[in-house]
Amino acid sequence: MFIKTDQCLGVGVNFRNEIGNDIIHHINEIDFIEVNTERFFVDKNNLHLDKILKKIPLVLHGLTLSVGADQPIEQTYLDNLSSTLSSVNCAWFSEHISMTSINGIEVRALMPVSFNEDSIERIVNKTKTIMSKTDKNFLLENITYYYSMPNSKMNEAAFITEVIERSDCGMLLDVNNLYVNSINHHYDPYDFLEQIPKERIVEVHLAGCDYRYDMLVDTHASQIKKEVLELFKYLCSNADIKGVVIERDSNLDSFSDLIDEVRLVRDILKKNSRARN
Ligand SMILES: [Fe+2]
C-alpha cells in the first residue's frame, strides 16, 4: 500500500553544473535540490553537489528508465540505481511516463506512450520492479506530448490514473506539462485535476513554456506563466504537496530571477496549504 512520505521539503530547483556556484551562494533561500538520478551513476564526486548536499535535502529525478518501452529494465540500470539509492540520502525518487530507449537505442528525448492497456501493464510491471528495491517513495511524472500516439484507447487522465493506482506508486505532477498539453490537445486542465488521484501527488514541477509557431512547448527557458501559477494555486488547496521544483534549464540572465520565483511559489504553497487545512 502506498504510504506518502511525511517529509515536507518546500520549494527547490533542479541542479545544473552551470548554476552550481549560484545555488551554493543562495543556499539559504533554496529548500531542496533535485538532481538527475543518472548523474550519480557517473559523476560521484561533484564538488558543487558535495557542498550543496551538506546543507539541503535531495530528491532524485530519472531520465533513462524508459518505463513505457516494450523491453525489460537493463540489469546495469538496476545495479546503478540500487547502489545510488543506498549511497545517497534522497527523500524520494521519480521518473517520467515515457520511452527514452527502444531495443537498446537511446532516443535522448521523452517519447510519449500509447494510452492503452498494453502500455499500462508494461509500466506497472517495471514500476513494481523498481519499488521492490527500496522503501522510498517512487513517483511517476506526466510528460508533454506534441502528437497523439497510435493505438491510444483512453484519455490522458484515465491512463495516468490507471498507471499510478495499479503501480501503487506516487505521482510527480508537472503542472506546466499539464497546462501545455491542455492547450495543444484542447482539454480543460481543471477537469484533468478532478480525474487523477490527487492524494498520491508528492511532488510538483513548475516551469516556463513558450510558443514555437502554433504549438506551446515546454522549454524550461522562461518564467512560469500566470495560468500555470493559477493551476498550481488550485492544486495546493486540493492536495498535500510535499515539494515543488522549479525547472529552469536555460535563458536565465540573473540567478536572482529564479530566487524570486522560489519565493513567490513558496508563498503560494504556504498560503493555499493553510487554506486546505
Ligand atoms: Fe517536469
Side-chain angles (χ1 to χ4, degrees):
M1 192 183 75
F2 176 70
I3 300 170
K4 193 191 275 196
T5 177
D6 53 13
Q7 253 188 300
C8 189
L9 299 187
V11 183
V13 298
N14 59 315
F15 176 77
R16 289 184 287 126
N17 261 328
E18 296 89 326
I19 57 170
N21 277 330
D22 295 302
I23 293 172
I24 292 165
H25 190 65
H26 291 86
I27 200 81
N28 293 330
E29 306 191 69
I30 298 167
D31 299 328
F32 72 105
I33 191 90
E34 183 167 273
V35 181
N36 286 343
T37 312
E38 292 81 358
R39 178 178 284 278
F40 289 100
F41 298 178
V42 291
D43 181 17
K44 295 183 196 302
N45 298 302
N46 184 294
L47 293 179
H48 290 137
L49 270 180
D50 285 350
K51 285 185 187 163
I52 293 166
L53 297 182
K54 285 193 176 92
K55 300 275 187 184
I56 55 175
L58 162 76
V59 300
L60 297 177
H61 188 45
L63 283 167
T64 61
L65 174 60
S66 202
V67 275
D70 188 9
Q71 60 188 51
I73 306 172
E74 285 181 12
Q75 191 56 44
T76 319
Y77 179 93
L78 284 175
D79 293 345
N80 279 329
L81 181 67
S82 296
S83 93
T84 298
L85 288 171
S86 58
S87 62
V88 302
N89 184 19
C90 67
W92 59 74
F93 66 119
S94 59
E95 248 297 348
H96 304 86
I97 302 175
S98 74
M99 292 184 282
T100 51
S101 65
I102 301 160
N103 296 328
I105 299 167
E106 281 203 31
V107 245
R108 297 200 173 268
L110 300 172
M111 289 173 55
V113 299
S114 304
F115 298 155
N116 63 27
E117 182 59 31
D118 285 352
S119 300
I120 294 168
E121 270 184 36
R122 278 201 283 275
I123 297 170
V124 168
N125 285 338
K126 286 187 192 164
T127 301
K128 286 190 168 164
T129 303
I130 295 293
M131 286 167 51
S132 70
K133 306 283 173 200
T134 176
D135 291 335
K136 298 210 161 152
N137 279 179
F138 177 62
L139 326 176
L140 286 174
E141 178 184 3
N142 56 311
I143 66 162
T144 50
Y145 53 102
Y146 301 94
Y147 50 89
S148 297
M149 287 293 279
N151 299 320
S152 287
K153 306 273 194 254
M154 57 184 84
N155 72 30
E156 185 190 353
F159 175 75
I160 288 176
T161 301
E162 285 286 305
V163 163
I164 302 282
E165 288 188 337
R166 281 163 56 182
S167 299
D168 200 21
C169 66
M171 180 166 187
L172 192 174
L173 180 71
D174 189 315
V175 178
N176 185 57
N177 288 353
L178 167 58
Y179 176 69
V180 166
N181 290 338
S182 74
I183 296 294
N184 292 335
H185 301 286
H186 317 290
Y187 65 77
D188 181 344
Y190 291 89
D191 274 356
F192 178 100
L193 288 180
E194 286 317 305
Q195 293 174 64
I196 58 165
K198 288 188 285 301
E199 70 284 358
R200 287 180 182 267
I201 299 173
V202 174
E203 182 183 340
V204 162
H205 276 174
L206 297 172
C209 53
D210 300 281
Y211 274 98
R212 297 282 186 263
Y213 302 100
D214 58 349
M215 195 161 266
L216 195 54
V217 177
D218 172 42
T219 55
H220 297 188
S222 52
Q223 279 192 323
I224 306 162
K225 287 222 173 334
K226 71 174 188 335
E227 293 88 341
V228 173
L229 287 174
E230 279 304 314
L231 262 174
F232 171 62
K233 202 167 164 182
Y234 173 83
L235 182 67
C236 290
S237 49
N238 286 280
D240 179 19
I241 296 161
K242 300 298 189 184
V244 182
V245 167
I246 301 175
E247 297 185 290
R248 185 67 182 255
D249 292 334
S250 60
N251 199 30
L252 184 62
D253 291 335
S254 162
F255 193 77
S256 60
D257 292 347
L258 183 56
I259 294 298
D260 287 346
E261 282 199 311
V262 168
R263 290 195 192 113
L264 172 72
V265 167
R266 188 184 289 122
D267 203 41
I268 296 173
L269 179 67
K270 277 189 184 158
K271 276 190 191 141
N272 292 278
S273 301
R274 224 178 288 136
R276 181 173 48 82
N277 296 325

